[in-house]
Amino acid sequence: MTANRWLRTAAFMLAISALTAMPANPQANPAAPPHSPHPKATPESVAAGKEVFAGTCAGCHGVDGSGSNGPNIRGVGAQMGPEGVYTRIRGGPIGSGMPAFTALDDATVWKIVDYVMTLGHEDAGVATGDPQKGKAIYESSKCAACHAIGAEGGDLGPDLTHIGVERSIVSLADTLNDPGHNLPLDTGLQERSAYTGYVVYRVVMKNGKAFEGMRVNEDSFTIQLRDAEGRLHSVQKFDVEKVEPEPGKSFMPSYKDKLTPAQINDLVAYLSSLGEA
Amino acid sequence: MRAAKYVVMVLALCGALPSFAQVPYERLLKSDSEPQNWLMYGGNYGSQRFSGLKEITPQNAKDLRVAWAYQMRGGGVMESSPLIVDGIMYVTEPPSNVTAIDARTGKPLWHYVPQIPRDFVPVGLFPTNRGVAILGDNLYLATIDDHLIALDAKNGLVRWNTQIADKADGYAITQAPLALNGKIVVGVGGGEAGAHGFLSCYDANDGKLLWRYYTVPRSASDPGADTWADGSWSNGGGTTWNTGSYDPELNLVYWGTGNPVPDWNGEGRMGDNLFTCSMIALDADTGKLKWYFQFSPHETHDWDSSEPPILFHATVNGKARKLLALANRNAFYYVLDRETGEFLTGVPFAKQTWAKGLDAKGRPIKMPAEQIEPSAEGTLVYPTLTGAINWTSPCYSPITGLFYVNARDGGAYYVKGERKFEKNNSNGVVGGGGGGMRPGPADETTTSIRALEATTGEKKWEYKMVGDSWTGTLVTAGGLVFSADAAGNFLALNAETGEPLWHLLLGSAVRSNPVSYAVDGKQYVVDSAGNTLFVFSLP
Amino acid sequence: MTASWRWSATILLFIGAGAAAILPHAAAQTPQAPPAAKDDPVSKLTPDDIANGKQIFAAQCAGCHGFDGSGQLGPNLHGVEARRGDAGIFAVVRNGTGAMPPVMALNDQRVWQVVGFVRTLGDTGPIEAAKGDPVKGKAVYDANGCAVCHAIGTTGGGVGPQLTNIGRSRPPKYFYDFLPDPGKNPPPGYELVRVVAKDGHEVTGIRVTEDTYTIVLRDVGGHFYSFDRTKLKTIEPEPGKTVMPSYGNLSTTDMDNLVAYLSSLKGAQ
């Protein structure tokens, strides 16, 4: 009996080692095959990429990349970089419905990449304030309590590392003056439609107590919120009295009365300088 | 030695006896009498997606739990509607693979993987497959690269393989074929690539083409050519990319047709553009057109009328009638007489801003062009490009008399396509004119399960969900409606009242149609989420 | 008790075959491979390189080509060096060929090691050509009802393996060994199992799938039987047996012709 068990254990261990040495799953998503290097992006390549995008990609991603059948891809350029976008187009991400565009030649794919890299960039406009003064205002206003630039700062509000290429000066000023009516779009929440991020909800529990939080995720039965201290609340909608969005509200205070127009101008100039390629 | 001789004898017997066909046409005809099986894509020939099973009820639905799960071997999202025949489940996986599963335990039994060319990129649609048909001893599979393949249902061996269309012309097929008596009917997709739509019928024994009906004229003398200005019928469109329905008594096949080409720019093709965005009724033996009804004349928003038509009987104005109900992508719910195509009722079932209403013949009274036509900056119109409903199926219960549809409310900014239309897109570049949509106002798009009184379209109840769900509905004799929300909560509602009874978060969006079956008297409900098929039952 | 010994034996047999390929040989003779050209990277390979190549082959290639390279899902590689040359083998490993995916995880040095090992597979000499007449062999195939269980192309049954490409992956010697006694060495996936249920019901069939809780068998008619193991009294593999009868009583001429016919089945080229 003991010998039998030893034999079985030995067999089992050999089986495990043999299994781990089996040939790779032929259907696993391979990394992009070797490809030509990325030629420098030019206005011509972006325009050509836009042409191809309109024909090939817009059907799923929307004419401006903000989503349709497929997800919003505005801003993916900054997240993934040109190589990452190239690999996505060539490889088709596993588990998504996106096919691998193996039939396009490299030159065409790089043009699409060049165009995709520009998506999510609003035309910045020209800032008239003084970015140096703006940086000082950023610090004295303690923006870093909620916002991160690079590795420094908090995570309650959006990351501002690339905000200068993502938002125009007009929209930056609008947000500073009235954040509640200028909340950014959330790309992570639902893949096929546009949803606003940082929406403030008010929850009233069955015992009458209430709290506010920013929506992190939501479905038909539950909602997950982050309160002003950054704590996560997971709420079953049927277990509470009321769950209601509060349009026009934001955890970010308005700086309209806290800063002079000149100071807002300088702060916008500083923010506008963040994330230059 | 003796055992071997015995085995030889058994084998000889197997060879000598006529083999009984597993699913003769008679079983398909009477599929409602076998509620434990799901014998065709739409459940029955009327595409009612009604399960006659009663074990799961509003009282015990809260006890539903996962019986087993099956994960696809490859990547992608499962959109297949499985067949369950005598304890074996047949499911398809992207791009066009077939798997047989023991429906009692979830154990895979065999796989069939066709050779699809690696460089094939279908345009405007995901390379996926929505299911097979079964007839006799064979399964019938339509592949993404436009082949119709007959497989031995016992083991997946190929019995014949015929090419339906050339992918180089923009065709790609994702639908489940429909099996009739000795015949297989299948359509084509590719409306974003300028493909000319058609419906084909093949001999189930050998794959020979029996008839083919083209939905868009191919010459100036074809019917409908005068509804396309300047010979623009040559652009194509009118694809037949979703499975239709069949009336065995009238011997008519009903199929919806897709958009005219190019999608978002109608200037070069003035006219109604027949027979795009229509319901066509064809004689199942000859393929001749018996009647048609066009839902969206001169359509410019990509609102294909490719939704499955539901066939049912009801009394309308004191008269018993054979009816056809269709919840259209354009947000209107239509009821037609399916013998003649006569328009009976049409009312919106989701938010729409493009038509004042329908006239007495069912033709839309469109709002002024500047309010609804695609433009360079984008024109906000409801419903969205993906439609008030897309490819997923609604259902109908003969018990409640209600039509259950997972309806989308939402708008989009329609952008006009300015590119010169080019045919032939073997590079995967859309052969249409470009254009499309940008999403409408944020947070607006939601889907709700709506129960409509089937003959009038009057809303009886609705269950509003969060997000943009792409799941069909299933209704059971036990009194439940099954569907899912955008996050992947598979849920059950009371079919009479819409009261939510049970849900489970499956972890990925549910892009399929639920079905129900039974093995050894136990009822199961099936739905897939992401790359996993989940099967539920009571403990 | 008896059943579990048989299981251990079966598992060990399978693992042993694998282990023998993976673990370094103790007393193996040095493989004789054709001489390499002077500048060929292969000429710089050492016996250690070739042993490494054998190990990589066992891990990456044997799943399709068999541990001895004689073919299974993928073709027989014996003598492939003469057909494709060293650079040809390198290219196939690197780039794949259509049915074979490229092997991505190996660097150049390791691919050459595999090439070095694969070259030694030519060692057994050229594959003996089948000596019979394939046309007459087809008549033997038809007369013996092989198509009841086997499919070639789109005709035939699905009880046994498809034979559409069998000539690519099996040399004639294999058929001479197999046909008189199929039970001695059935291909993977055709093991015969006999179950006895607690209610006395018995089924013998090919085991399709099995896990801790369930087992599914397939009988000669292609029907599936699905069992919960808790409802079974015994589950016993039947080693040495298959559903396929023995063809040891064919005349020598018939056997030669049949083998020639099977060897000619290479599917669509």
Side-chain angles (χ1 to χ4, degrees):
Chain A
M1 307 313 113
T2 326
N4 186 15
R5 203 180 290 158
W6 182 89
L7 271 171
R8 277 218 242 151
T9 316
F12 180 73
M13 289 171 71
L14 274 174
I16 295 297
S17 50
L19 277 171
T20 53
M22 286 304 186
N25 175 9
Q27 287 187 294
N29 194 15
H35 51 269
S36 61
H38 182 194
K40 191 161 162 34
T42 63
E44 289 77 31
S45 71
V46 170
K50 183 173 180 179
E51 261 276 299
V52 181
F53 186 93
T56 304
C57 323
C60 285
H61 287 290
V63 291
D64 60 352
S66 55
S68 167
N69 226 6
N72 182 348
I73 56 171
R74 295 175 70 84
V76 293
Q79 286 167 29
M80 295 169 54
E83 283 290 325
V85 177
Y86 178 96
T87 307
R88 270 289 154 90
I89 297 173
R90 275 266 183 255
I94 274 280
S96 78
M98 174 166 165
F101 287 88
T102 49
L104 298 173
D105 61 32
D106 261 6
T108 307
V109 178
W110 284 125
K111 286 177 188 145
I112 302 174
V113 169
D114 288 343
Y115 173 64
V116 169
M117 294 298 292
T118 69
L119 290 177
H121 294 193
E122 292 183 3
D123 190 14
V126 180
T128 54
D130 177 350
Q132 294 282 55
K133 287 187 183 157
K135 184 165 192 285
I137 293 166
Y138 186 93
E139 278 153 22
S140 63
S141 303
K142 302 205 178 355
C143 304
C146 295
H147 293 279
I149 298 175
E152 310 266 316
D155 67 348
L156 203 63
D159 188 312
L160 301 179
T161 312
H162 300 285
I163 198 78
V165 293
E166 288 164 11
R167 303 274 223 106
S168 67
I169 54 168
V170 171
S171 89
L172 288 170
D174 281 346
T175 301
L176 286 166
N177 286 318
D178 188 358
H181 285 102
N182 289 285
L183 295 172
L185 279 187
D186 182 351
T187 55
L189 181 57
Q190 302 285 350
E191 62 177 52
R192 286 191 183 202
S193 299
Y195 283 86
T196 309
Y198 303 97
V199 179
V200 178
Y201 275 74
R202 185 154 179 278
V203 176
V204 181
M205 313 290 287
K206 288 224 152 60
N207 62 13
K209 291 206 179 142
F211 70 92
E212 282 181 335
M214 294 183 294
R215 179 181 64 186
V216 175
N217 207 341
E218 181 184 9
D219 68 17
S220 303
F221 304 98
T222 69
I223 184 166
Q224 290 76 43
L225 306 164
R226 262 177 113 205
D227 66 21
E229 279 77 56
R231 278 192 304 254
L232 185 69
H233 298 259
S234 178
V235 174
Q236 301 270 6
K237 290 179 180 175
F238 294 112
D239 281 348
V240 300
E241 197 59 48
K242 230 179 351 183
V243 174
E244 273 174 352
E246 303 198 289
K249 247 195 134 160
S250 166
F251 277 5
M252 171 169 159
S254 160
Y255 288 85
K256 192 157 84 143
D257 301 322
K258 297 196 212 288
L259 300 174
T260 67
Q263 286 175 312
I264 298 247
N265 221 20
D266 291 336
L267 183 51
V268 165
Y270 170 60
L271 294 170
S272 197
S273 74
L274 295 176
E276 229 105 65
Chain B
M1 258 304 118
R2 247 173 81 194
K5 280 203 189 131
Y6 173 76
V7 166
V8 173
M9 227 166 53
V10 171
L11 284 175
L13 275 171
C14 287
L17 287 169
S19 44
F20 285 98
Q22 209 188 352
V23 186
Y25 171 65
E26 288 64 42
R27 283 184 75 180
L28 297 181
L29 206 47
K30 300 195 182 82
S31 56
D32 287 339
S33 64
E34 313 185 26
Q36 71 277 18
N37 291 321
W38 193 277
L39 297 176
M40 61 187 83
Y41 182 72
N44 60 18
Y45 276 129
S47 300
Q48 292 177 348
R49 292 193 167 265
F50 167 77
S51 167
L53 296 172
K54 299 188 182 134
E55 187 195 352
I56 303 171
T57 66
Q59 288 68 43
N60 60 29
K62 60 179 170 28
D63 297 326
L64 281 169
R65 89 295 194 247
V66 180
W68 54 262
Y70 165 75
Q71 297 192 20
M72 302 196 300
R73 295 186 306 169
V77 173
M78 188 181 269
E79 295 193 355
S80 177
S81 200
L83 300 185
I84 298 93
V85 184
D86 305 332
I88 311 266
M89 176 183 289
Y90 302 99
V91 79
T92 58
E93 306 174 20
S96 307
N97 305 345
V98 182
T99 301
I101 303 176
D102 173 18
R104 201 181 62 84
T105 60
K107 302 294 294 188
L109 302 172
W110 55 257
H111 296 280
Y112 167 70
V113 179
Q115 296 295 329
I116 311 284
R118 269 156 150 201
D119 60 355
F120 173 48
V121 179
V123 176
L125 55 104
F126 298 142
T128 186
N129 190 284
R130 305 222 165 98
V132 290
I134 190 168
L135 175 67
D137 292 323
N138 290 347
L139 301 174
Y140 295 89
L141 167 76
T143 65
I144 193 72
D145 66 338
D146 313 299
H147 284 244
L148 182 64
I149 304 181
L151 303 174
D152 186 324
K154 287 195 298 299
N155 45 47
L157 287 178
V158 176
R159 290 306 177 199
W160 53 255
N161 179 336
T162 194
Q163 187 171 7
I164 299 171
D166 192 342
K167 60 183 173 36
D169 294 330
Y171 294 101
I173 304 179
T174 54
Q175 67 194 260
L178 186 67
L180 308 185
N181 192 0
K183 302 196 279 277
I184 308 295
V185 177
V186 64
V188 288
E192 270 67 65
H196 269 256
F198 58 82
L199 196 63
S200 310
C201 181
Y202 292 89
D203 184 313
N205 283 322
D206 56 15
K208 203 168 59 137
L209 181 66
L210 297 173
W211 55 255
R212 178 165 286 178
Y213 174 81
Y214 280 88
T215 58
V216 170
R218 288 178 302 150
S219 79
S221 53
D222 282 339
D226 55 348
T227 64
W228 296 76
D230 306 318
S232 54
W233 42 260
S234 64
N235 295 352
T239 52
T240 47
W241 57 266
N242 207 0
T243 312
S245 306
Y246 175 57
D247 182 328
E249 284 166 17
L250 299 175
N251 200 27
L252 289 176
V253 165
Y254 302 94
W255 225 269
T257 65
N259 61 279
V261 172
D263 266 332
W264 301 285
N265 186 340
E267 282 170 3
R269 51 170 174 85
M270 297 312 288
D272 281 355
N273 306 142
L274 289 175
F275 295 88
T276 63
C277 296
S278 303
M279 177 61 50
I280 55 176
L282 307 181
D283 180 301
D285 291 331
T286 62
K288 294 268 184 296
L289 181 73
K290 177 98 192 290
W291 59 258
Y292 76 91
F293 176 86
Q294 189 175 42
F295 300 101
S296 305
H298 190 71
E299 195 283 318
T300 50
H301 301 83
D302 196 27
W303 295 332
D304 301 334
S305 294
S306 301
E307 297 71 54
I310 290 190
L311 310 182
F312 68 108
H313 288 89
T315 305
V316 176
N317 295 333
K319 196 168 151 218
R321 282 197 166 203
K322 291 175 173 255
L323 299 170
L324 180 153
L326 188 125
N328 197 291
R329 197 148 148 183
N330 69 13
F332 280 86
Y333 171 77
Y334 296 84
V335 181
L336 311 176
D337 180 310
R338 70 174 186 266
E339 286 186 81
T340 60
E342 182 193 343
F343 167 76
L344 298 173
T345 294
V347 293
F349 71 94
K351 180 169 176 185
Q352 65 84 23
T353 58
W354 65 279
K356 295 196 185 88
L358 306 177
D359 71 12
K361 294 248 170 71
R363 191 189 171 88
I365 305 162
K366 292 196 204 180
M367 301 295 279
E370 60 275 10
Q371 285 183 29
I372 63 169
E373 291 301 320
S375 61
E377 328 75 53
T379 312
L380 180 62
V381 183
Y382 295 70
T384 65
L385 183 148
T386 49
I389 186 161
N390 200 282
W391 65 266
T392 57
S393 301
C395 63
Y396 166 79
S397 167
I399 299 175
T400 61
L402 297 174
F403 179 103
Y404 302 92
V405 58
N406 193 343
R408 181 177 298 110
D409 293 314
Y413 291 94
Y414 288 86
V415 175
K416 193 169 167 200
E418 296 292 8
R419 286 174 93 222
K420 186 173 175 316
F421 171 64
E422 285 164 29
K423 276 194 90 65
N424 206 340
N425 53 75
S426 31
N427 269 337
V429 176
V430 169
M437 67 160 252
R438 293 185 280 114
D443 306 310
E444 258 197 8
T445 305
T446 60
T447 44
S448 306
I449 298 168
R450 298 202 164 117
L452 312 176
E453 203 288 308
T455 55
T456 61
E458 190 189 314
K459 187 172 75 182
K460 180 140 185 253
W461 54 256
E462 91 174 4
Y463 177 74
K464 191 155 179 221
M465 302 183 289
V466 170
D468 184 3
S469 160
W470 284 62
T471 310
T473 51
L474 164 75
V475 63
T476 70
L480 297 163
V481 171
F482 287 90
S483 190
D485 76 356
N489 283 296
F490 188 48
L491 48 89
L493 310 175
N494 183 312
E496 290 275 6
T497 64
E499 183 203 345
L501 297 165
W502 166 90
H503 69 270
L504 182 65
L505 182 63
L506 301 184
S508 181
V510 177
R511 304 231 181 286
S512 60
N513 297 313
V515 304
S516 186
Y517 70 94
V519 175
D520 297 336
K522 187 163 192 53
Q523 182 180 6
Y524 298 91
V525 182
V526 186
D527 211 351
S528 59
N531 69 346
T532 305
L533 185 90
F534 289 91
V535 175
F536 297 89
S537 69
L538 297 172
Chain C
M1 201 79 58
T2 327
S4 53
W5 254 116
R6 283 226 191 101
W7 271 122
S8 305
T10 315
I11 296 171
L12 267 182
L13 210 62
F14 180 72
I15 299 309
I22 292 172
L23 300 171
H25 266 253
Q29 58 190 45
T30 322
Q32 300 294 335
K38 276 263 175 63
D39 295 323
D40 198 330
V42 167
S43 63
K44 303 192 179 70
L45 295 175
T46 65
D48 272 346
D49 283 322
I50 306 223
N52 213 34
K54 184 169 182 172
Q55 197 164 336
I56 297 169
F57 186 91
Q60 302 265 17
C61 321
C64 288
H65 290 285
F67 286 108
D68 62 351
S70 64
Q72 263 181 41
L73 189 69
N76 187 343
L77 299 177
H78 286 236
V80 70
E81 200 273 342
R83 294 198 289 280
R84 288 192 183 256
D86 300 330
I89 301 174
F90 184 96
V92 169
V93 174
R94 258 276 167 266
N95 302 322
T97 74
M100 168 170 153
V103 186
M104 301 274 242
L106 302 176
N107 62 21
D108 280 5
Q109 185 207 18
R110 292 174 137 225
V111 179
W112 285 119
Q113 287 172 346
V114 172
V115 172
F117 169 67
V118 168
R119 294 171 95 246
T120 70
L121 296 176
D123 178 40
T124 50
I127 297 167
E128 186 185 302
K131 41 189 196 236
D133 176 351
V135 176
K136 293 196 177 134
K138 183 175 192 306
V140 175
Y141 183 92
D142 291 338
N144 282 279
C146 307
V148 174
C149 291
H150 293 279
I152 298 175
T154 61
T155 45
V159 181
Q162 282 195 62
L163 302 179
T164 313
N165 297 302
I166 193 80
R168 281 177 178 262
S169 56
R170 296 280 184 262
K173 184 176 179 309
Y174 174 88
F175 298 116
Y176 283 111
D177 280 342
F178 183 83
L179 290 166
D181 189 359
K184 186 171 74 174
N185 195 15
Y190 290 90
E191 299 85 9
L192 210 57
V193 168
R194 184 166 159 270
V195 305
V196 180
K198 286 188 173 147
D199 64 9
H201 193 54
E202 259 190 49
V203 176
T204 300
I206 291 165
R207 181 187 54 195
V208 178
T209 178
E210 179 182 7
D211 67 13
T212 312
Y213 305 99
T214 63
I215 181 168
V216 179
L217 305 180
R218 177 161 63 84
D219 69 9
V220 291
H223 300 107
F224 294 100
Y225 299 85
S226 167
F227 296 101
D228 289 332
R229 291 177 71 143
T230 53
K231 299 209 167 69
L232 297 178
K233 197 157 60 166
T234 57
I235 299 175
E236 282 179 348
E238 310 257 272
K241 285 206 210 148
T242 63
V243 176
M244 175 168 165
S246 156
Y247 289 90
N249 52 0
L250 289 177
S251 70
T252 317
T253 323
D254 278 351
M255 180 65 86
D256 285 341
N257 290 339
L258 179 59
V259 170
Y261 172 60
L262 294 171
S263 300
S264 74
L265 296 175
K266 301 212 168 145
Q269 291 301 328

